[in-house]
Amino acid sequence: PGSIVVPPPRGTDRPVPLRLTTPALAPNPTKPTGLQLLISLADGSRIIGATVTTNLVLQSPALGRLVVPFDSVRILKFSPKHESATVTLHNGDALTAAVELPAITVKALFGEATISLGVVREIETRRAEAVADRGLVLHLDFNQADPRKAVDQSPQHNDGAFQRISPTGGGALRCAGDGGYVRVPPTESLNSCQEELTAAAWIKLDRALDGVLPNSPHVLSRGATYASAYASFALSLTAQGAAQCEFTADNGQPTFVAAEGEPLARGEWIHVATTFARGEVKLYVNGWQRAATTVAFNKVRPTEQPLFVGVRYERMPEGGTFQGLIDEVRLYQRALTADEVTALAGMPPPKGD
């Protein structure tokens, strides 16, 4: 048979034959690959996480024993009786072979898990960093040294200013619930988030918070003012501590969507996200869709107000500010797909305390 090839290693232009199990095929285990696995189990469950197992071991009738790096694989789909699997590579090549690997280990949100391949139906891979570049207009990771400026990591350079607040040494924004926030001035790229948008962030509520949360603590918000209370869009928490999103039409009519009955745990990193696509609203917690609705408007109300992180709007009563940590704030001018949101949530959570 003809050779099946994988993309060439960086710095070369020569493809590597898949049948050769040379060190060039194995990624450096000490270098973060950013590879996420979406593992579909036979019972309908799905696990998302960063791969710890770096290579896939196959036995092909035509090619013999193969060692294939996971970052060359696009989809691995098992036959109904698991006697073989179809492996499709990113370059389009495919083969059917027996999988000699008994289990796979991933780092998921709930910790490190070793999963027997006997219960796996399909594995899809994607690079997490590739998920989030297209349409990204704001990315605040709070890893910069400047105590005055929140540096935007997106190509749009929508830097924000710290107002009575600063990032922690671990690279997260510490919100004390005392009125501090980040203010991002209005720009053309922020204004483009009207017909479609995605807002996402990692949050960690203070352990000390208990019971009812006053005035819906906000992760991010744009368009609300003291005179016009509703936000063009916002990501916040309900008084009961559940994730919530808000979108407002041109006529000022707001829509609130919440994951009712699912208060977020205190003291744990949780990924929250919302998407708007011409009237379709979805709310996600840790990569899973928890609520959705369809509204009667196709774009959110335009605004020239700044975007705020950690508060609903300037000079809002202190009870409305977030209390805990916020990190990896992202805003897109498009609605991410469910798989893209899942991949974002599958990235390792921040390490700030």
Side-chain angles (χ1 to χ4, degrees):
S3 294
I4 298 173
V5 300
V6 300
R10 291 180 180 177
T12 72
D13 57 4
R14 182 175 57 85
V16 179
L18 188 60
R19 69 180 70 193
L20 299 178
T21 57
T22 64
L25 284 173
N28 182 351
T30 65
K31 181 180 179 182
T33 63
L35 190 70
Q36 303 293 317
L37 300 186
L38 280 68
I39 305 173
S40 299
L41 304 184
D43 64 358
S45 302
R46 185 167 67 165
I47 297 174
I48 303 98
T51 176
V52 175
T53 306
T54 56
N55 291 326
L56 187 63
V57 182
L58 306 174
Q59 184 66 41
S60 166
L63 301 174
R65 188 174 185 272
L66 307 172
V67 178
V68 183
F70 252 117
D71 59 3
S72 297
V73 175
R74 185 170 66 86
I75 295 178
L76 172 70
K77 188 171 184 178
F78 286 94
S79 62
K81 294 184 179 181
H82 272 69
E83 70 274 11
S84 64
T86 299
V87 183
T88 304
L89 304 182
H90 284 289
N91 69 350
D93 285 339
L95 75 157
T96 299
V99 180
E100 293 188 347
L101 197 66
I104 185 172
T105 302
V106 296
K107 288 184 177 178
L109 288 173
F110 52 79
E112 190 167 293
T114 299
I115 305 163
S116 169
L117 291 187
V119 300
V120 173
R121 180 171 56 85
E122 183 177 293
I123 300 175
E124 180 181 354
T125 71
R126 61 163 55 91
R127 290 195 172 277
E129 65 268 21
V131 169
D133 291 339
R134 185 169 64 87
L136 184 65
V137 299
L138 180 70
H139 177 199
L140 302 178
D141 63 6
F142 304 113
N143 289 328
Q144 72 287 326
D146 192 330
R148 298 165 298 175
K149 184 169 67 173
V151 178
D152 176 22
Q153 303 298 326
S154 84
Q156 303 300 326
H157 305 293
N158 288 312
D159 296 340
F162 295 113
Q163 304 289 331
R164 302 190 303 278
I165 200 170
S166 61
T168 68
L173 186 70
R174 159 63 69 181
C175 301
D178 58 1
Y181 56 89
V182 173
R183 181 184 189 274
V184 182
T187 63
E188 183 177 344
S189 59
L190 292 184
N191 292 345
S192 68
C193 301
Q194 291 186 23
E195 293 183 349
E196 290 194 16
L197 67 90
T198 300
W202 284 95
I203 62 173
K204 187 177 184 180
L205 286 166
D206 276 353
R207 291 184 183 275
L209 288 173
D210 195 15
V212 175
L213 304 179
N215 295 336
S216 297
H218 275 63
V219 180
L220 62 85
S221 174
R222 188 170 189 225
T225 65
Y226 184 78
S228 178
Y230 297 125
S232 295
F233 62 86
L235 190 56
S236 64
L237 305 178
T238 66
Q240 290 72 39
Q244 176 178 258
C245 61
E246 171 189 356
F247 296 96
T248 299
D250 267 335
N251 63 5
Q253 183 64 37
T255 295
F256 294 86
V257 179
E260 297 290 358
E262 300 182 21
L264 303 183
R266 273 59 164 173
E268 297 180 11
W269 280 110
I270 296 171
H271 190 265
V272 292
T274 183
T275 64
F276 179 92
R278 295 176 173 84
E280 298 290 332
V281 177
K282 297 178 182 179
L283 179 67
Y284 298 84
V285 177
N286 282 340
W288 294 93
Q289 182 180 309
R290 308 312 301 166
T293 192
T294 301
V295 297
F297 51 95
N298 291 325
K299 67 177 184 178
V300 301
R301 181 181 62 190
T303 180
E304 288 300 325
Q305 293 297 317
L307 181 144
F308 297 102
V309 177
V311 70
R312 185 171 178 81
Y313 56 83
E314 286 182 297
R315 296 183 295 280
M316 186 177 181
E318 291 181 358
T321 58
F322 192 85
Q323 187 170 340
L325 298 177
I326 300 176
D327 205 358
E328 291 295 329
V329 175
R330 294 173 180 263
L331 180 66
Y332 301 84
Q333 58 185 185
R334 67 182 181 95
L336 299 187
T337 66
D339 282 347
E340 287 177 319
V341 174
T342 298
L344 274 186
M347 293 181 180
K351 297 180 179 180
D353 295 318

